Amino acid sequence: VTATLAFRVWASLSLSVAMAIAGCGGGSKSRQETLPAVPGLRLEAARMQSMPDEIEAPGSVIAKATAQVASRTTGSVMRVAVREGDFVRRGQVLAQLDDRELAARKSAAEAALHEAAAGVAEATRGVALPQAQTDIAKKTYDRYVYLRDQQSVSPQDFDEVEANQHAAQAALEQAKARLEQADAANTRAAAEARAAQEVASYARIVAPFDGRVVRRSVDPGSLISPGALLFEVEDTAHYQLEADLPSQAVTPLAGGASPIRRGSPVRVELDAVPGRSFSGKVVEMEAGADPSSHSVRVRVALPQDPALQSGLFGRAWFRRGERRAILVASTAVIERGQIRGVFVPEDRGALHWRVVTLGQKIADQVEVLSGLNDGEQVVVNPGTQELEGKRVMASATGAGRENP
């Protein structure tokens, strides 16, 4: 009886356990089949891939050359020929000052130059006669020297000839001195005429190079003095991005990363020009780091583009080499406020939104710093629909992507 009773209890327990196991399996399968399936979804695996090792730094666009055009003389502004935003050519008149007084000074200087030139001509003619008389006196003196040696001339006659020769030479020296004075006066007059002409040109305020007027601080009728700022012109043909890099970015690092130096490639994106990327290179770099911020200021040459102008804010990515990172398609990322995440199939195919931390964006992919492991699959085309708790049809699953 006891053996029979024990067998019945064991059989009953075995049947209960078997029914429980069968019930659990059936419930799981039934639950998976009851999850709503969303057609058209595509899965791709997050892969550990090679990507550029870059340092990001904010910066501002500046013109390679900026000129502050100031007045070089005192005068009243008669005309202003440009406005802010106008494009100008080198030598183009920006403003015209009242030049009547300057023109009068120029005319007076030119008249003095003509008078000095006439004085030089007269002094030159004044040298010709003393020169001829000196030549004749010299020849006569040389003959009398010979005659004196031959004792064929009296001492009195020789003394008279010698005196005439000295007098002619003195007259010539005086004529040459007057010519030198006339030449000096002519040189001074020419310098004064050039200076007057230069000062007269100060009445025309001109552009120093081709560019754009970014600031104007003068109006017609204004009385200005030397040094007064009138215009600011920037070179629109050459723009640069000025940014500050941490000091360690310009020093050799372990692991094969190259330091940033002149000629290093840079990728630039500007907030005012969304969806576009500009390629540049480092053209200027400070010799040392700033002791307070421990940063090094660099300038990146940008390509010519009509969308560029000074003052635009942007970000630059300085490339130092290659590194390994987990990448997923940018379309897989969903933003909810300040939080970003992706849909990952979990719990026997049920999709769940998982929060991730993102890094750099490379083309149509983005780096995942945390939240995903290598090989995990994500929905790459979630769109705007709510996928939490739903599943992907088996036929919609695709292969992972390779880094281009």
Side-chain angles (χ1 to χ4, degrees):
V1 176
T2 304
T4 303
L5 181 60
F7 175 78
R8 290 179 178 177
V9 171
W10 175 83
S12 177
L13 291 174
S14 298
L15 180 61
S16 299
V17 171
M19 293 178 62
I21 293 175
C24 291
S28 175
K29 182 177 180 181
S30 175
R31 177 186 175 187
Q32 184 175 7
E33 291 178 351
T34 58
L35 290 177
V38 180
L41 296 182
R42 186 162 54 91
L43 295 178
E44 287 186 3
R47 296 297 185 189
M48 182 72 71
Q49 304 177 33
S50 295
M51 64 174 293
D53 184 9
E54 297 177 324
I55 297 178
E56 179 182 354
S60 299
V61 176
I62 61 172
K64 180 180 179 181
T66 301
Q68 293 184 337
V69 183
S71 173
R72 303 176 67 181
T73 186
T74 300
S76 298
V77 179
M78 303 296 293
R79 180 174 64 94
V80 177
V82 295
R83 296 176 295 180
E84 293 177 344
D86 287 351
F87 288 90
V88 294
R89 305 288 293 180
R90 180 180 180 180
Q92 180 178 336
V93 176
L94 306 179
Q96 177 68 47
L97 307 184
D98 186 355
D99 63 349
R100 287 174 294 183
E101 181 179 354
L102 299 178
R105 293 179 182 177
K106 176 183 176 183
S107 299
E110 290 176 347
L113 177 60
H114 289 308
E115 184 178 352
V120 171
E122 183 179 356
T124 302
R125 291 191 299 269
V127 171
L129 180 58
Q131 182 67 57
Q133 292 175 345
T134 299
D135 292 341
I136 294 174
K138 181 67 170 57
K139 292 178 180 179
T140 302
Y141 174 75
D142 291 340
R143 287 194 299 268
Y144 267 75
V145 168
Y146 175 76
L147 293 174
R148 183 193 63 179
D149 294 339
Q150 299 295 322
Q151 296 182 354
S152 298
V153 65
S154 64
Q156 182 178 358
D157 291 341
F158 179 80
D159 292 342
E160 289 179 358
V161 170
E162 186 179 24
N164 291 337
Q165 193 269 341
H166 288 315
Q169 186 65 38
L172 177 60
E173 295 297 333
Q174 291 179 358
K176 289 182 177 180
R178 287 192 293 270
L179 178 59
E180 290 179 357
Q181 293 176 354
D183 284 335
N186 183 66
T187 301
R188 290 193 300 270
E192 292 174 357
R194 287 193 299 269
Q197 184 175 7
E198 179 70 16
V199 172
S201 68
Y202 294 167
R204 298 172 67 252
I205 311 299
V206 298
F209 45 72
D210 296 353
R212 176 171 51 196
V213 179
V214 296
R215 188 168 291 104
R216 189 192 86 175
S217 54
V218 64
D219 293 304
S222 302
L223 179 63
I224 58 176
S225 57
L229 180 62
L230 307 180
F231 302 93
E232 185 172 336
V233 180
E234 69 176 19
D235 181 8
T236 56
H238 304 90
Y239 281 107
Q240 299 177 336
L241 183 85
E242 189 175 68
D244 293 332
L245 286 175
S247 57
Q248 60 267 26
V250 299
T251 56
L253 300 176
S258 302
I260 306 301
R261 53 169 58 98
R262 287 186 179 91
S264 296
V266 184
R267 178 170 56 90
V268 176
E269 294 182 2
L270 303 175
D271 290 358
V273 192
R276 292 189 57 187
S277 179
F278 301 89
S279 297
K281 65 178 181 179
V282 178
V283 292
E284 294 184 28
M285 178 181 295
E286 290 183 346
D290 183 85
S292 58
S293 62
H294 306 291
S295 61
V296 177
R297 181 155 296 180
V298 298
R299 289 189 175 186
V300 178
L302 299 176
Q304 292 189 13
D305 194 286
L308 298 178
Q309 61 180 352
S310 60
L312 298 182
F313 176 80
R315 293 173 178 83
W317 285 267
F318 298 80
R319 186 165 182 171
R320 299 193 299 174
E322 298 284 334
R323 61 186 178 89
R324 301 282 292 176
I326 296 177
L327 298 178
V328 297
S330 301
T331 56
V333 180
I334 298 177
E335 296 186 5
R336 294 179 177 177
Q338 300 295 324
I339 303 176
R340 299 170 181 177
V342 295
F343 279 105
V344 179
E346 300 175 353
D347 192 17
R348 297 182 177 85
L351 296 176
H352 295 287
W353 191 67
R354 186 185 297 179
V355 176
V356 294
T357 303
L358 303 181
Q360 298 180 15
K361 183 177 180 181
I362 306 296
D364 60 345
Q365 294 182 298
V366 63
E367 176 188 11
V368 178
L369 301 177
S370 64
L372 277 180
N373 296 319
D374 183 22
E376 284 193 290
Q377 291 187 321
V378 298
V379 179
V380 296
N381 58 338
T384 58
Q385 54 188 330
E386 179 56 53
L387 303 179
E388 186 68 30
K390 300 178 182 179
R391 64 184 177 89
V392 180
M393 291 184 178
S395 59
T397 302
R401 302 173 51 169
E402 293 295 332
N403 191 26

